[in-house]
DNA sequence: TTGAATGCAAAGCTTTTGCAATTCA
DNA sequence: TGAATTGCAAAAGCTTTGCATTCAA
């Protein structure tokens, strides 16, 4: 089931702004400002308010994941359920890379087993210097 | 070496506001607002601006760690170097618990070895329901 | 047609900046 | 005393809210 069908199925309307925002959301986590600029570049005029509201809806439907990388603002990324991953951010240039960790499952499972909390989600973010910025 | 001495050693002044902020910072990560309220309760009047500026200094000196738990604001916690840990936050009541994970080192070491980035730090945050909120 | 969604303006929070007054060493 | 630090006011982000208008079904 694609993203548009998923909207419809839940009784929400397929609107131009929503379609455009979904089109622009890639694997790379974007800020609201970046989404807005990206749409403007495509000559699509959408108010930031509508972007915020659309993202809220997408979050609720599980279409989009909200992440914080310590920048003081949120980032949004299209939620590919088949590809659980985390991020590493370059302290110098801000470049963001995806990472998948083989040993991760063990760690999370053990956390779930041992914690008194009922764990529902986690975030693991790395910070460092990317290849270019190490020189 | 205690926190006050650490300030002095680096050529910074020991001032009333700085002392009071350090006194109030506990293991529990606090927001600037919480620090401010906590000081007011002790009849200590400090401007939030000064709190921000002191925290910036403490961060620079490695006395305090800044964390984000997805609340849209930052939290600050006194940095106990002997006790590396992470957090789990209750989605319902906001309660924050510390956690230490035995298997963590392996995961991080492998990340450091395999990543093209030069990893300098990481954050691992869990979200779920605390014991009280599970009922 | 009609409720849902959008745009615009305004406000709400958190955080930062500028500058004169104060304070520590 | 003199530079570092503080308080106050203002501004700068990011995000949310209210309301009239527009739009999808």
């Amino acid at each position: 089931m694609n993203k548009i069908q998923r909207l419809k199925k839940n009784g929400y309307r397929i609107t131009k702004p929503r379609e455009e925002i979904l089109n622009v959301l890639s694997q790379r986590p974007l800020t609201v400002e970046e989404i807005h600029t990206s749409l403007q570049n495509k000559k699509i005029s959408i108010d930031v308010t509508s972007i915020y509201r659309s993202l809220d809806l997408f979050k609720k439907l599980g279409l989009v994941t909200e992440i914080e990388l310590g920048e003081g603002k949120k980032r949004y990324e299209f939620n590919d359920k088949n590809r659980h991953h985390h991020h590493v951010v370059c302290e110098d240039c801000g470049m963001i890379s995806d990472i998948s960790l083989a040993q991760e499952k063990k760690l999370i499972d053990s956390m779930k087993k041992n914690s008194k909390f009922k764990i529902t989600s986690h975030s693991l973010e790395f910070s460092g210097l990317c290849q270019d910025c190490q020189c």
Side-chain angles (χ1 to χ4, degrees), chain A:
Chain A
M1 182 158 67
N2 73 22
K3 34 200 180 185
I4 298 293
Q5 292 172 318
R6 214 143 128 207
L7 262 183
K8 248 183 189 152
K9 188 197 141 210
N10 285 277
Y12 295 98
R13 293 188 179 162
I14 318 304
T15 67
K16 201 89 193 149
R18 286 182 184 163
E19 277 186 295
E20 299 295 359
I21 293 168
L22 283 174
N23 285 342
V24 128
L25 277 179
S26 57
Q27 220 63 247
R28 190 171 93 83
L30 300 175
T31 63
V32 167
E33 194 196 352
E34 286 168 348
I35 295 170
H36 193 221
T37 305
S38 177
L39 289 171
Q40 282 184 320
N41 288 344
K42 294 169 79 180
K43 308 293 176 205
I44 296 160
S45 138
I46 296 181
D47 195 84
V48 286
T49 309
S50 302
I51 300 179
Y52 277 109
R53 282 195 274 231
S54 295
L55 290 171
D56 279 349
L57 176 63
F58 299 159
K59 264 193 290 176
K60 209 170 67 183
L61 295 178
L63 280 170
V64 156
T65 301
E66 181 184 274
I67 61 172
E68 269 183 305
L69 303 179
E71 306 163 294
K73 56 190 157 188
K74 292 166 181 166
R75 287 184 176 273
Y76 301 86
E77 138 177 272
F78 191 74
N79 193 21
D80 184 343
K81 275 176 181 154
N82 305 320
R83 223 174 58 82
H84 176 78
H85 68 279
H86 298 283
H87 305 95
V88 53
V89 185
C90 178
E91 289 160 3
D92 256 30
C93 69
M95 185 180 118
I96 302 168
S97 268
D98 289 355
I99 45 175
S100 296
L101 293 160
Q103 298 95 327
E104 188 188 342
K105 196 175 178 312
K106 266 191 211 160
L107 185 78
I108 306 302
D109 284 351
S110 137
M111 174 68 192
K112 284 183 177 167
K113 205 164 76 185
N114 296 320
S115 174
K116 285 173 177 164
F117 279 64
K118 185 173 186 315
I119 303 297
T120 53
S121 70
H122 67 277
S123 85
L124 173 57
E125 311 297 348
F126 292 87
S127 179
L129 290 172
C130 74
Q131 259 182 320
D132 288 348
C133 293
Q134 283 176 45
C135 315

